[in-house]
Amino acid sequence: MTSEDSQVTIGGKARVRPFLLNFLVPLHVMAEVAGLSTSVQQTAVPRDTADETHSAWRIDFTGVGGKRCTLTWNAIRKWKASRVVYEHHYDHQQIGEPLTQDDLNLDSGHSEAEFRLPS
């Protein structure tokens, strides 16, 4: 797997899985714990060869107050039988300003005094 944003190539299931988890787990946590709304969309793009797929990706983030940020990119995957042997992400774009802590519901309803360690 490669990206236009990085010179590093990641190869093999064992190395790609942690990379994906590092990307997806924080999104899941922000959605579950902080009230962030996320929407992921993947659209197939017509291709010329049978062993290659192209797709357009979009992730919409909406904070608790309604502020939105959208990330888009394209991906190419090359296949050998039923296995991906090459993947490249390119044309990364961000629409809107990044969400901040103000856009998350991180207030658990407890004051700081409740979390002080006993002296």
Side-chain angles (χ1 to χ4, degrees):
M1 184 171 86
T2 64
S3 172
E4 69 183 0
D5 295 338
S6 174
Q7 300 298 326
V8 177
T9 298
I10 301 171
K13 259 187 212 179
R15 291 188 64 208
V16 170
R17 265 193 195 120
F19 175 82
L20 290 174
L21 287 174
N22 284 336
F23 176 74
L24 296 173
V25 169
L27 296 178
H28 176 74
V29 169
M30 285 189 291
E32 290 292 322
V33 174
L36 179 69
S37 173
T38 59
S39 171
V40 179
Q41 179 183 359
Q42 180 264 332
T43 304
V45 176
R47 63 190 190 281
D48 294 331
T49 62
D51 66 340
E52 193 172 282
T53 58
H54 296 242
S55 55
W57 290 82
R58 177 185 182 110
I59 299 180
D60 293 301
F61 302 98
T62 305
V64 294
K67 182 178 174 184
R68 294 184 64 165
C69 180
T70 300
L71 302 177
T72 64
W73 69 93
N74 294 305
I76 298 172
R77 286 190 180 125
K78 292 185 181 183
W79 298 80
K80 186 172 185 177
S82 62
R83 294 180 178 235
V84 175
V85 294
Y86 173 82
E87 182 168 335
H88 178 72
H89 296 210
Y90 64 98
D91 196 22
H92 297 92
Q93 296 182 23
Q94 177 178 315
I95 303 161
E97 294 296 316
L99 300 181
T100 66
Q101 286 187 351
D102 294 338
D103 301 307
L104 304 175
N105 184 17
L106 298 175
D107 180 18
S108 62
H110 301 286
S111 71
E112 289 182 40
E114 292 179 71
F115 294 104
R116 289 190 185 147
L117 293 174
S119 33

